[in-house]
């Protein structure tokens, strides 16, 4: 009998110890570094160099992306994320915020900074600065298939500061509701105006809505595994500016894995704006209305934690948004990028 009691107590102690081990908070460090080489086929690569009107990877020759360090702490109910960026890509992605007295910070390395509370298995509250919930592409190059970014990503929101609530309605359905500062305003909301966001998800497909004090945007983001090796991503969005102007666009992302280490993918995007809605399609004869069709072919070779991405991009605009080698206005631009991305 004593042996039975002893064994039972030992079993209970082991079970309690295992539960304590499972509930122990975890601290993680992850991130990436990236660099690239870029050259135009049909335009200058000197002091007159130009690039597509989208974010990042726009300099000629060899150039730097960013160093990204993500610190995370996850407890049983609460946790935080501190996502820090250093370098040109990070600087372009993070907007300075006005301080009291109208001064701006000279630098900002915070890409995301938020704390969260898992209120229950189906409800999570998050407060702080977090990357936008709209769109297919993101700031970090590790999460994008193409290295250069789309017009839809570049002229949609980047980040928000506020409070959001995520609801897991079922295994397939999810809902997010948020109240935030003006888009891309990290802190010091001097206007007293706020933006409101919502996201409805179903089996990996997301319908997003953003009501900002100065614009309204609706966005669809999703994708389908058409086979074990073939994936098709989809993004479509429409943004209407309160004072006039708008943009709309759609992009398809077919990707084929040819081996365990190599995938080839295409991004085909159509983007249009009215009344110079966001200034994406500028140019020499632009009247404020214009469109662009961009095709980007990217290869992705994985070597352990290093990914090599050669990329050819062709942009064709309705206006003379680019220049040729003779510095004359032209409607098209061909370019090449070779990127190296290390993730940890």
């Amino acid at each position: 009998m004593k042996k039975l009691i002893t064994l039972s107590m030992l079993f209970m102690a082991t079970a309690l110890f295992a539960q304590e081990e499972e509930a122990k908070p975890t601290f993680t460090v992850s991130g990436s570094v990236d660099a690239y080489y870029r050259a135009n086929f049909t335009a200058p690569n000197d002091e007159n160099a130009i690039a597509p009107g989208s974010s990042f990877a726009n300099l000629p020759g060899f150039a730097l992306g960013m160093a990204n360090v993500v610190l995370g702490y996850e407890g049983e109910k609460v946790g935080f994320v501190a996502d820090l960026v250093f370098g040109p890509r990070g600087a372009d992605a993070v907007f300075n915020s006005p301080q009291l007295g109208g001064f701006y910070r000279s630098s900002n390395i915070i890409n995301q900074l938020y704390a969260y509370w898992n209120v229950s298995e189906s409800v999570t509250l998050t407060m702080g600065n977090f990357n936008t919930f709209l769109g297919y592409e993101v700031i970090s190059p590790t999460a994008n298939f193409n290295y250069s970014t789309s017009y839809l990503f570049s002229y949609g929101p980047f980040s928000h500061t506020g409070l959001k609530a995520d609801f897991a309605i079922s295994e397939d359905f999810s809902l997010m509701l948020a109240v935030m500062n003006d888009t891309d305003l990290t802190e010091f909301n001097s206007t007293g105006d706020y933006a409101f966001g919502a996201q409805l998800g179903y089996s990996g497909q997301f319908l997003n809505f953003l009501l900002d004090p100065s614009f309204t945007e609706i966005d669809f983001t999703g994708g389908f595994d058409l086979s074990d090796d073939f994936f098709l991503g989809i993004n479509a969005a429409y943004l209407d500016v309160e004072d006039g102007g708008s943009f709309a666009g759609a992009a398809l992302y077919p990707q084929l894995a040819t081996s365990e280490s190599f995938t080839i993918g295409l991004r085909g995007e159509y983007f249009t704006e009215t009344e110079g809605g966001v200034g994406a399609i500028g140019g020499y004869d632009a009247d404020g209305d214009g469109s662009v069709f961009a095709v980007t072919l990217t290869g992705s070779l994985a070597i352990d934690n290093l990914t090599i991405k050669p990329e050819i991009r062709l942009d064709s605009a309705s206006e003379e948004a680019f220049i040729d080698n003779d510095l004359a206005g032209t409607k098209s631009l061909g370019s090449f990028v070779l990127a190296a991305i290390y993730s940890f």
Side-chain angles (χ1 to χ4, degrees), residues 193-239:
D193 295 326
Y194 291 91
F196 300 92
Q199 179 186 79
L200 179 63
Y202 175 73
S203 295
Q205 317 307 312
F206 299 94
L207 182 63
N208 307 302
F209 179 77
L210 177 61
L211 178 62
D212 191 87
S214 60
F215 67 87
T216 303
E217 182 173 5
I218 186 168
D219 168 275
F220 170 77
T221 301
F224 303 91
D225 290 309
L226 301 181
S227 72
D228 291 341
D229 301 322
F230 187 67
F231 172 79
L232 178 64
I234 304 172
N235 185 208
Y238 174 77
L239 182 147

Side-chain angles (χ1 to χ4, degrees), residues 15-326:
L16 289 172
F17 178 78
Q19 290 179 2
E20 289 179 358
E21 284 294 306
E22 292 176 358
K24 185 178 179 180
T26 58
F27 181 78
T28 60
V29 179
S30 61
S32 66
V33 296
D34 63 290
Y36 66 92
Y37 169 83
R38 185 182 181 282
N40 290 319
F41 296 134
T42 60
N45 290 297
D46 51 20
E47 66 273 8
N48 297 306
I50 62 169
S54 57
S55 303
F56 317 139
N58 287 335
L59 296 179
F62 293 100
L64 303 179
M66 70 179 185
N68 184 202
V69 179
V70 183
L71 308 176
Y73 180 86
E74 182 177 3
E76 183 179 358
K77 289 287 188 179
V78 298
F80 75 82
V81 170
D83 183 346
L84 310 178
V85 289
F86 309 85
R89 187 184 182 108
D92 289 345
V94 177
F95 294 89
N96 291 330
S97 294
Q99 305 298 292
L100 290 171
F103 295 101
Y104 285 77
R105 287 182 297 186
S106 59
S107 65
N108 190 341
I109 63 170
I110 296 174
N111 179 32
Q112 300 184 94
L113 184 65
Y114 59 83
Y116 61 87
W117 172 27
N118 295 318
V119 181
S120 67
E121 291 184 356
S122 58
V123 180
T124 299
L125 297 178
T126 302
M127 187 170 182
N129 179 251
F130 40 84
N131 288 161
T132 187
F133 52 93
L134 296 99
Y136 185 87
E137 300 178 23
V138 297
I139 293 171
S140 171
T142 62
N144 294 334
F145 185 83
N146 307 101
Y147 187 71
S148 69
T149 55
S150 67
Y151 289 88
L152 281 170
F153 166 78
S154 300
Y155 294 94
F158 276 12
S159 297
H160 310 279
T161 298
L163 173 65
K164 66 174 182 174
D166 289 279
F167 304 91
I169 300 174
S170 69
E171 289 186 0
D172 295 323
F173 278 100
S174 64
L175 175 67
M176 186 279 294
L177 300 173
V179 56
M180 304 159 292
N181 286 344
D182 286 7
T183 299
D184 294 326
L185 180 62
T186 304
E187 54 191 329
F188 186 46
N189 188 349
S190 60
T191 65
D193 295 326
Y194 291 91
F196 300 92
Q199 179 186 79
L200 179 63
Y202 175 73
S203 295
Q205 317 307 312
F206 299 94
L207 182 63
N208 307 302
F209 179 77
L210 177 61
L211 178 62
D212 191 87
S214 60
F215 67 87
T216 303
E217 182 173 5
I218 186 168
D219 168 275
F220 170 77
T221 301
F224 303 91
D225 290 309
L226 301 181
S227 72
D228 291 341
D229 301 322
F230 187 67
F231 172 79
L232 178 64
I234 304 172
N235 185 208
Y238 174 77
L239 182 147
D240 183 65
V241 182
E242 183 178 329
D243 295 334
S246 66
F247 76 69
L252 294 177
Y253 300 81
Q255 298 161 17
L256 176 65
T258 60
S259 69
E260 291 185 359
S261 60
F262 186 78
T263 303
I264 188 167
L266 184 75
R267 177 180 61 213
E269 178 187 22
Y270 177 77
F271 183 90
T272 181
E273 64 176 339
T274 63
E275 300 179 35
V278 291
I281 310 165
Y284 298 87
D285 297 314
D287 57 7
D289 296 346
S291 62
V292 62
F293 179 68
V295 177
T296 306
L297 180 65
T298 305
S300 180
L301 175 64
I303 308 170
D304 295 330
N305 289 356
L306 177 67
T307 303
I308 306 296
K309 294 195 174 188
E311 182 171 287
I312 296 175
R313 176 167 174 161
L314 303 175
D315 291 64
S316 179
S318 61
E319 309 289 339
E320 292 186 344
F322 310 107
I323 59 173
D324 60 22
N325 285 306
D326 296 323

